[in-house]
Amino acid sequence: MGWMDALQEFLFERLSCTSEILLWSVYCCLLLLTEERLFFSKCHTVYGIESVVRSLKGILQLNNVELHKQGLLLFTEILKRQPVEIKLFTNLAMCKDAIGVLVEAVKCPVLEVAAEAVKAVAAIMRKDHLSCPPVQYVELQRLIETMLKRCADLSLPPINRRSASHPGHSTQNKAVLRQGQFLLSTVEGFRNACRFAVECQSDPLAQENAFTAPGSESENTLGSYSEFLLRICDSLCIPVVLKHSERTSSPALMEVFISALSTLFAVVPSMHEKFSRKLASSSFIRLALELKAKFCTGQSNPALNQACSSFLYSMCLSLHSAAEKMEDSSQEEREMSELLQRSLPQLNCNVPESLTLLSETPDPFCLDEALRSHQYCLLLLLYCAYALEDRFVPEAELFSAIRNFLLSVQDQGDCPPPYVFRAVLYLLAVCQDKGEALDLSPLCAIRRVLENTSDLSLVYIHHPLLLKFFLHYSELMGKFGHRILQLWFSWEDYSQIESEDAVSGLSSSLPDYPNSFTTLLHILKENSSVLLILLDLVCLSTTEVAHKVLMTLSMFLKRNEDVVVCDLLRSQFLQILQQLLVESSSTTLRASKNLPLLLSLLFLVQLRNEAERELDSTDFKLLHHVSDLCGKCRPGDVELLQPSLNFLYWSLHQTTTCSQQRVVAVLLSSVPLLELLQKVLELTWMWPCRSGPALSSSEEALLCSAWLLTASLLAHQHRYNSEVHQTISLDVEQVLNAVILRRKKPALLLVSILQFLRAILRQNFSSALLVLIVQPTAQSRIEPSSSEDDASLYPLTTWQVLSLVVSLQNLLVQKDLLLSQSVVACLEVLMEYLHRKNQGIALHVVSQPWNRFLLFTLLDGGENSFLRPEILRLMTLFVRYRSSGIISQSEISQILQEAVKAKLAELPVATSQALRLLLLQLQSGSCEMEPAQEGTIQTLLESLPARTRTHLSPQDMVYPFARHISLVNDIAKQGAAVGRGVIFNLLLHAIIQLRLNESKNVFSTSPLVADAKTLMLRTGQGHRVVKKILIVQKRD
């Protein structure tokens, strides 16, 4: 056979000639030789491939279509027939040249030449052809992209509506067929490129470019190439094929296309889940089923049937493994895999036939289980499609078909495997709104299957509609509601809910929670019996689940103020609290994560009660347990104490007189509670300490609650003369210094301390509950001789009174509505105390010219600037104590003019009441009035709305003596000072002022220190004392 060696050598040498006719003839001869096995086995192709590539590179510069086609045909046949064990390209340069030639050939504008080129591309995509190290992944990407873009650039001819016999119709069909064949070859090339990537995964040398420097990134890697295949498939391959299939359907093309998609599942294993979800959400399950129904009935197109079945099999298993993360899922996956492999090739039905198939009942006397297996397989496919929003079967019809399936299961006594029944439940849940409610028969079938399931987690899918489905039917909720809700909370991620609730703070608008959480809140509003299940879960579930349940209940009560659930929840709270207290020691209670949430929720439920509710036995048991719990805590247990003290405070105020007296007795009998209150109050003197860390926002809030509760206990113990079992000891000077030397204390804390000051001032510093420690002040140590004024003011001193007045004045000009209201109320009580003890000091304090400057500082010059409750009450105070030098006829006239102009019926209640008090004080003769002014006053009093007592709405907390004002906007301003995310804590802190104002006016500020000289000249108490006060203010 030496003549053949000489012949092939001669022919390969002739490829370098420039004669087109001779080249065409050589190509023809070499094509004939490719039919001989020895042409390949004796390595003649290895010898001549370089000549072939060089020749192709040259002829592509010529304008000879037939020559191009013949040369590319020869190259394709060599690539296809070359034995795997004999490497065709022996060096990297030759491989790169071959890829470059194909890139240029694919770009050829002549479709026939490009068609031959893409066939060559399909043939070259073999591991034995391309594995010359390093593998040229970048060049291959360029080749594949060029091929797919060339295909995408083809434009299908417009639809010809002429008859089939018309010549134009035949020409158009030929063009579509040519383009279809070109597309088929292109997709074959892409599929082979995907298979090449999968083959390279098992070759360590092919995965990474050995010549890449360590630590540097390179695109010439298998990973980059694989990700490129996924991207190019999504951006070019899929759109091109689907666009062509809209015009004409080719089983051969779709078989290669679906096969390529199946291969892509293995190209990048780490992305198979994302790729599966992408395809399923893009209706590829529907596409595969439609192809099987259209082309694969009977024994038609077995290759397409196998490709579609393999594709559906890979996608379903991928989606299943991504969704199910159970420990025993491997056994389930094996069973599911066997079912799909057995049933998918025989499942070739369209949508109406699929619905009929689901509704059929197997013959009870037939041992063939094919029908039931086909139904199971179809349900799995529908589940995968519906889960990713591809609802190609109408919901109402599917719901009816599944109902019939359940009846069939019930009649036959069958029990579908968990992975199938999971799909059934999901499909019923998502189609529920489009179909009629299930009657008893299918519900019994569902219940029987669930009862035979070892664990509901095997059939559970975390979806809000499934939760809604189970809680919609009482037959299912009563039996399985606890377990389903437990699974729901186990799966639900509450990190976003916690963060959004914390960020929302005290904003009047509620945060946007995830859709699943919003669905649960809606279910709770429609079905209050679900609340009882949630409360059971608090006791029966894990700590994590119980925490999520308590958070849910808290958010539900905040969002749904019109839902009356107090009586339903209080008794359950009592049982839960009793269980926690019995089962836990003091140490474990303080470490509990759920107990603070439970207490906060208990307080939130308490806020929903109507005003002055008579307390029952449940309330007093709760009160007893909460007070005992406080006694077991330490001052540092802020998360427990904060809601507990709030609960005690509200129990003390929001009840009738009879119940209130019993509440006071219960609280005063708790010695540990009173001891704890004293320890908490003493934290006030320690903050801020220059040597230690500042108190946290939660600790500040706890101090507010402690001062408020102590002040209320003082007032109510005095009112009812209740028996005291334990006293609280406080140093008078430290209490006063907390206000005088405030050192940037939060406004709400100052307001709380002022509330306490008002309580002890009203009782003349005499209380059975309070033991006051009076120590020599710093001023008395400097000036030891005590004056008569100090003796009359005992336990206060003149210096302390003046310092307190100046501090209150300083606080009054701050831009804080709550603080201003509380300061004015404290000034009122202080003046009453001074008037009783020493009228000279009282007259001196109220008559200082500085008070007039203070009044003008508070006025901002705007419209109705006088008609603000704090200004009206302050002026009432000056008029009451006949301070004519502060309030002139001019101010009185201006107030009356503004009141006449104002719409009295629209004034806030606090403003209306403050105006009434001022008018009555003026009418009493405390100030000289002109006759015209007296008439105006009488007219205004008659025009003011009658004094009414408004009840507390569930959303608002109002101080017991003035239940008439919403605090939402005011509390929002205090959020930064306290930093609490739980709204009811801050609501409680704000209720300490008397006669709150709904007005949103903003006060102007005027620093007091700048006017020190004026104050020194007018006080009459000595330069040294006033200077010390101003130094303290300036340091603050």
Side-chain angles (χ1 to χ4, degrees), residues 691-742:
S691 59
L695 293 177
S696 65
S697 58
S698 56
E699 290 171 325
E700 294 169 6
L702 176 60
L703 287 177
C704 293
S705 298
W707 282 107
L708 286 174
L709 181 58
T710 305
S712 295
L713 286 175
L714 279 174
H716 289 91
Q717 188 279 330
H718 178 75
R719 178 181 178 184
Y720 299 115
N721 194 25
S722 302
E723 183 179 0
V724 176
H725 300 271
Q726 173 70 30
T727 58
I728 297 176
S729 300
L730 290 177
D731 190 319
V732 174
E733 185 177 13
Q734 287 179 326
V735 174
L736 294 174
N737 287 343
V739 178
I740 298 172
L741 308 177
R742 54 190 177 278

Side-chain angles (χ1 to χ4, degrees), residues 40 45-46 49 75-92 94-96 98-99 102 119-136 140 192 196 199-200:
F40 296 96
T45 50
V46 177
I49 190 63
F75 190 33
T76 302
E77 290 300 316
I78 293 175
L79 291 170
K80 288 168 60 177
R81 296 173 183 266
Q82 180 70 20
V84 176
E85 64 273 8
I86 302 176
K87 187 178 289 292
L88 183 62
F89 302 107
T90 56
N91 60 73
L92 179 61
M94 192 183 305
C95 183
K96 292 180 66 174
I99 295 174
L102 291 179
K119 292 177 182 178
V121 173
I124 201 174
M125 291 294 176
R126 281 169 39 181
K127 187 172 182 291
D128 54 295
H129 290 332
L130 301 173
S131 58
C132 294
V135 180
Q136 297 300 299
L140 290 177
N192 292 346
F196 168 70
E199 292 173 0
C200 288

Side-chain angles (χ1 to χ4, degrees), residues 919-1032:
L919 294 176
L920 290 174
Q921 194 67 50
L922 292 172
Q923 198 178 49
S924 67
S926 299
C927 183
E928 294 184 4
M929 305 294 299
E930 299 176 0
Q933 289 178 333
E934 293 178 355
T936 302
I937 291 173
Q938 183 61 37
T939 302
L940 289 173
L941 285 171
E942 294 173 356
S943 302
L944 282 172
R947 299 183 64 178
T948 58
R949 186 177 186 178
T950 58
H951 292 285
L952 183 69
S953 67
Q955 184 179 2
D956 303 329
M957 284 193 67
V958 182
Y959 186 65
F961 300 110
R963 299 185 179 97
H964 52 255
I965 178 67
S966 170
L967 299 183
V968 174
N969 292 326
D970 299 338
I971 296 302
K973 298 177 182 178
Q974 307 301 328
V978 180
R980 298 290 293 171
V982 184
I983 190 169
F984 49 78
N985 285 347
L986 288 179
L987 281 172
L988 181 63
H989 302 155
I991 67 175
I992 48 75
Q993 76 280 15
L994 183 61
R995 301 172 189 156
L996 293 173
N997 184 19
E998 289 176 327
S999 172
K1000 298 181 181 179
N1001 293 332
V1002 179
F1003 308 143
S1004 61
T1005 59
S1006 177
L1008 298 180
V1009 177
D1011 300 283
K1013 292 183 179 180
T1014 303
L1015 183 60
M1016 291 177 187
L1017 295 174
R1018 302 294 183 182
T1019 55
Q1021 295 299 313
H1023 181 276
R1024 182 173 52 186
V1025 174
V1026 177
K1027 184 176 181 181
K1028 175 183 277 190
I1029 296 172
L1030 292 176
I1031 291 174
V1032 171

Side-chain angles (χ1 to χ4, degrees), residues 33-47:
L33 288 175
T34 58
E35 298 177 4
E36 293 291 334
R37 182 180 59 83
L38 292 176
F39 183 66
F40 296 96
S41 62
K42 298 188 71 172
C43 297
H44 296 315
T45 50
V46 177
Y47 170 79

Side-chain angles (χ1 to χ4, degrees), residues 358-375:
L358 279 180
S359 302
E360 291 183 10
T361 301
D363 187 349
F365 302 103
C366 181
L367 298 178
D368 186 12
E369 299 180 355
L371 175 59
R372 192 65 84 195
S373 296
H374 293 168
Q375 290 175 332

